[in-house]
Amino acid sequence: MTPTLLTIPAKMLVGKRLTMSFINNRTPELWKSFMPLRNTISNVVGSNRYSLQIYPQNFLESFNPSNEFEKWAAVEVTSFSDVATGMETLTLPAGLYAVFYYKGNPANGDKVFKEIFTQWLPQSGYALDNRPHFEVLGEKYQNGSDDSEEEIWIPIT
């Protein structure tokens, strides 16, 4: 598993968020509340959706599946003017990311993340940065399909 290393500028995102843990995974609830409102968002950049996690400091280093984090369902926008009712804004900070391209059923993603954090990262010479982690769900993303494709973005230094 070899990622592409990319440095990105800050991005403006609009969406919805929920607090959850891996044991109390509320991802379906989050996306079900976001998707009906997605078309009310102004100034959208492209068609990609962002599934974004904001973990507390040292969350993954001292991993406990019951520890809570913030998860977002969002899209990128060119401006925060005219934010739709019920939506929130988030500025994704600029920085270096390891980008992994994943093809397969999203339900099997835990195996990919385990490989990233237990094999690739310790051998990479990089360390996790305390910025959001996210997945880009583009046009080839198909929830529940073995043919689904997505990008996994891991913040590194």
Side-chain angles (χ1 to χ4, degrees):
M1 178 172 279
T2 304
T4 300
L5 302 180
L6 295 174
T7 300
I8 61 168
K11 294 180 179 282
M12 293 183 285
L13 303 178
V14 170
K16 295 185 75 111
R17 65 180 162 160
L18 285 176
T19 299
M20 64 183 72
S21 69
F22 286 102
I23 288 176
N24 181 25
N25 185 350
R26 300 173 65 194
T27 302
E29 175 187 346
L30 174 63
W31 282 95
K32 283 179 186 175
S33 71
F34 172 75
M35 290 304 286
L37 300 174
R38 189 180 94 186
N39 292 332
T40 66
I41 301 171
S42 300
N43 309 311
V44 175
V45 175
S47 61
N48 289 339
R49 297 172 311 263
Y50 289 76
S51 179
L52 184 139
Q53 297 73 229
I54 300 175
Y55 299 118
Q57 185 78 31
N58 299 320
F59 178 88
L60 295 170
E61 290 83 355
S62 55
F63 182 73
N64 178 333
S66 64
N67 288 347
E68 292 187 329
F69 60 93
E70 187 174 280
K71 186 158 191 164
W72 285 74
V75 294
E76 184 179 1
V77 297
T78 57
S79 130
F80 288 146
S81 64
D82 194 31
V83 174
T85 302
M87 294 289 173
E88 298 181 75
T89 63
L90 174 72
T91 300
L92 178 65
L96 179 63
Y97 280 86
V99 184
F100 297 86
Y101 298 93
Y102 172 65
K103 181 175 181 176
N105 195 314
N108 299 326
D110 58 331
K111 295 176 183 102
V112 176
F113 285 99
K114 182 177 181 182
E115 185 176 335
I116 291 169
F117 293 119
T118 64
Q119 294 178 31
W120 179 81
L121 187 62
Q123 298 170 12
S124 70
Y126 292 96
L128 282 178
D129 198 2
N130 190 29
R131 288 179 286 121
H133 298 229
F134 62 93
E135 295 80 50
V136 174
L137 312 177
E139 292 179 13
K140 294 183 179 181
Y141 179 80
Q142 303 170 40
N143 194 19
S145 171
D146 291 339
D147 295 324
S148 184
E149 295 181 35
E150 64 186 275
E151 299 172 1
I152 299 169
W153 292 64
I154 307 297
I156 56 174
T157 58

